[in-house]
Amino acid sequence: MTDSTTAPAASAASTQRTPSTRTAKTLAEKVWDAHLVKRGEDGAPDLIYIDLHLVHEVTSPQAFDGLRAEGRPVRRPDLTIATEDHNTPTVDIDKPIADITSRTQIETLRRNAAEFGIRLHPLGDAEQGIVHVVGPQLGLTQPGITVVCGDSHTSTHGAFGAMAFGIGTSEVEHVLATQTLPLTPFKTMAITVEGTLKPGVTAKDVILAVIAKIGTNGGQGYVLEYRGSAIRALSMEGRMTICNMSIEAGARAGMVAPDDTTFAYLKGRPHAPKGEQWDQAVAYWRTLASDDDAVFDAEVFLDADELEPFVTWGTNPGQGVTLAGAVPDPASMADPQQRASAERALEYMDLAPGTPMKDIRVDAVFMGSCTNSRIEDLRAFASIVKGRRKADGVRVMVVPGSARVRLEAEAEGLDKVFTDFGAEWRFAGCSMCLGMNPDQLAPGERCASTSNRNFEGRQGKGGRTHLVSPLVAAATAIRGTLSSPSDVASEVLV
Amino acid sequence: MEPFTTHTGVAVPLQRSAVDTDQIIPAVYLKRVTKTGFDDALFAHLRQQPDFVLNRPEYVRGSILVAGPDFGTGSSREHAVWALRDYGFRAVFSPRFGDIFRGNSGKQGLLTGVIPEPEIERVWRALAAQPGIEATVDLEAQTLALPGLAVPFEIDAYTRWRLLEGLDDIGLTLRDETRITEFEAGREAWRPTTLPIGTP
């Protein structure tokens, strides 16, 4: 590397935009500008300060190795926190991890955290859990901050009005060493959802409908800002579910402007500001909402009143229909790429065009993942299954997002509701969302899953995934076929 | 990082769209704690299909991947880049890439060039006519050349510059360390810290 080299001038084809030329700003632009260490010149990216770095065992070992090789310390251990989630077991957590490679990865994280002075919540700790559940519940995720993690679902934290996005391992090393990232400004897209959601229609259905509308690459290069009365009416858990799946629309980040719902959720949490600092923080947080005359690079509108429970039929999150609908016919698709993709998806999913979604029988129901494993999600699932028995032959797994959520659920007696129903009540982790631990589907098995990706082989080689909300997962677990909450509401309890 | 100027090698047509990073490297292979040795994990599930392109003898030594749109979408796993690199790939072309994947690639010296779909299909046809032929990637000229066919590709100017120079990102940023320290001095006291451990 030579010091004499200089970055090239921006090419005419560059899509880079310069937010500073606008006086009225969006939420995303305000957070970006507040973290600008250095404005990039001549086509070079901006240097952005990172307020919070979340670390887990899968994408960090090689980053710590890189630091060691260069003799570099972690610049800000006090802005870094680690937890174990991706391949932790969700049963027998008091026993040594059976899988040797999983154990090595966990042990490597423990060694790295100790060596570099990073706070770690290991398996068995009350604050252990999925990294995107842990940050918010500790009050570390706050409005207006920048959050990164070596995990694409970091977009979850945008629900608080933070700018939060997933990064690769090289970038993890970069943030550990410098607490900054060189980044090219994102474009902004407003996704406005006005109206009132019908009973039984939830945040998960909203985001699946958004992805079906704009496509799995529709958000590419954008930060999505979710707005409108239907978003304002959502709880923080619901907003997290929506922001979580922004990456499934191709976007790096999703955001919701902070409001009283946000502040009420944060107040009193272990790392929320206290006393006078709380007032200062809230005063600042209230300035973050997009200015009325701010201009977005793209806008999308959805009518909340028209939304229905949504479910995927294919192998990407954009391949979804309403639960009352049917498997589409690829032959009716005009775009050849879309048609080919749908044909391959139906072959993998073993589904015939025209099959009503509600006729599809499942082998398993997975209730968990960083998308839907917070206490509110577990309460929603419990509200449907309480006092009932699961369908014969269907395996039902309930995996809380964190050890803290598990404790909360048990304090409310939800564990009893789940086990009486016939479900497995497990310990916290990513579990069957990505099947890095033993929680996997067998080849050919079909699962209604509250997770975020229905990719081929994601939940286990040959496994078939239908993405659903917790309410739809619950109704499906009762009937054994994809079902909406209204399908079971009128049934007599067993 | 080794500078990238030109590369000549076997071009492989991957005639699929939306090859997400779960397909490039399934999650079960993410448990290793090293940065190399992922070549066996590349397309692990797809390679179990006998007719998968990398199972054809003429493509086994492939180093240039010519893929359909939306390559590298989904999970942030940098292992996808390591697996491609360890197998021997130096460049990937697609009409569209997943954002995180493209960023990760640039940092590991794997070139990701954008070629519009009709041009990708022309390259596929040329490769189908002569399976196993070599192609040349010229980053300076921004072209992918096969015998009798040269197509231009797009790459952002900054990544191109860093690839050509073989520059390390952290070293570049640390040139601005004074500015980072100045920025830190101005941060508000109420911004969250993970240490000391907080209480309600």
Side-chain angles (χ1 to χ4, degrees), chain A residues 385-390 420-421 478 491-494:
Chain A
V385 304
K386 189 174 175 145
R388 300 175 191 262
R389 281 293 296 176
K390 70 177 180 71
D420 286 352
F421 177 64
I478 292 167
E491 283 183 5
V492 181
L493 296 187
V494 286

Side-chain angles (χ1 to χ4, degrees), chain A residues 17-71:
Chain A
R17 54 188 303 274
T18 48
S20 61
T21 56
R22 294 174 179 169
T23 48
K25 287 180 186 171
T26 63
L27 164 63
E29 288 161 348
K30 289 180 188 182
V31 179
W32 185 280
D33 289 355
H35 290 82
L36 204 52
V37 173
K38 183 188 174 186
R39 176 82 69 195
E41 286 167 8
D42 299 331
D46 291 348
L47 192 62
I48 295 296
Y49 198 79
I50 303 302
D51 288 314
L52 180 63
H53 186 188
L54 309 166
V55 174
H56 63 86
E57 76 276 16
V58 178
T59 53
S60 67
Q62 296 87 352
F64 286 111
D65 254 2
L67 292 184
R68 256 191 299 272
E70 299 291 326

